[in-house]
Amino acid sequence: MAGVSTKEIKNRIRSMESTKQITKAMEMVAASKLRRAQAQVLSSRPYFEILYATIQNIMSQNQDTESAYLQARPVKKTLYVVIAGDRGLAGGYNSNILKMVASEMEGKDAVVLPIGKKAADYFRSHKVPMLNESYGVAEDISVGDCFTVSKLLCKAFLSGEVDEIHLAYTRFNSVLSQTATTMQMLPLKAEAAAGQSVMEYEPDSETVLSSIIPEYLGGIFYGALCESRASEQAARRTAMDSATQNAEEMIADLS
């Protein structure tokens, strides 16, 4: 390297070795958190799947139900529940979900419920109205908080404050693949019936439906939160692994 002294080269090598140690440590932390997050994803799915099957069974067999949760109406205002991370250094994890939601919100009268510091900061800086800012730290949200959020969403929908609710999160496909996606939470949509139900509900199916929908939405939110947490740690692990390799290559070039 012409024009660069031996001392400067040694300083650069030391700097890159320090960077390598930091990124390697961050990669190991992310890998540890990823294992826990993956376990949460797997444990949350059965609960969600049972609730989902029960709700679909009731709705498909009771097409004339008058539950307010199923009633579509002209959409004047849309609520997006957006799950992002609390920190950066996770590749495109945060930017992918935030850009996708911003694109979907374009031209709509929309309000957001941000989950995670990055989501709250983004929508605050873009002056997007927020339904609530109490859940700005995604890492601190508990299972109980998920059901509190569910009640908040149900109240906003039933009161007419919003006409539809969408959940934006990052689906965990694998350690190397995560997908930013949205799903409609309310109003609920019934799938086609697959034969006559043999299940009986007490006191009646509509009462059961109205009772379990808030629980179902809480389960949906918790599942999406687990998926997003796993996606964030996988993205951070990949980013830190790439940074470590880059540091190693630079050290080799300088040596």
Side-chain angles (χ1 to χ4, degrees), residues 129-198:
M130 293 186 240
L131 182 71
N132 189 300
E133 292 187 58
S134 300
Y135 303 96
V137 182
E139 194 171 36
D140 292 344
I141 295 178
S142 65
V143 175
D145 290 329
C146 291
F147 293 102
T148 301
V149 169
S150 171
K151 293 176 182 177
L152 178 67
L153 299 178
C154 290
K155 181 181 178 181
F157 181 77
L158 294 177
S159 68
E161 186 177 353
V162 299
D163 302 300
E164 64 178 8
I165 300 175
H166 295 270
L167 175 62
Y169 69 102
T170 305
R171 183 172 59 241
F172 179 78
N173 303 318
S174 69
V175 174
L176 298 177
S177 174
Q178 305 86 41
T179 307
T181 187
T182 59
M183 67 173 293
Q184 182 170 310
M185 298 183 79
L186 290 173
L188 290 172
K189 295 180 179 179
E191 295 180 353
Q196 186 65 33
S197 173
V198 296

Side-chain angles (χ1 to χ4, degrees), residues 27-43:
E27 179 189 349
M28 292 174 66
V29 170
S32 176
K33 290 184 176 181
L34 173 60
R35 285 192 291 272
R36 292 197 297 271
Q38 284 180 284
Q40 287 182 325
V41 168
L42 293 175
S43 64

Side-chain angles (χ1 to χ4, degrees), residues 7 16 30 35 40 49 59 73 79 89 91 99 104 108 113 118-119 145 172 174 191 196 203 219-220 230 237 254:
K7 182 178 180 180
M16 295 311 303
R35 285 192 291 272
Q40 287 182 325
E49 289 168 355
M59 290 193 299
R73 53 184 183 249
L79 168 62
L89 299 176
K99 287 179 180 178
E104 288 198 11
K108 296 181 180 179
L113 175 60
K118 290 296 182 179
D145 290 329
F172 179 78
S174 69
E191 295 180 353
Q196 186 65 33
I220 285 275
R237 179 186 176 185
L254 291 168

Side-chain angles (χ1 to χ4, degrees), residues 104-124:
E104 288 198 11
M105 287 173 53
E106 193 170 348
K108 296 181 180 179
D109 183 4
V111 60
V112 298
L113 175 60
I115 308 297
K117 291 180 180 178
K118 290 296 182 179
D121 290 346
Y122 178 86
F123 292 113
R124 192 181 299 114

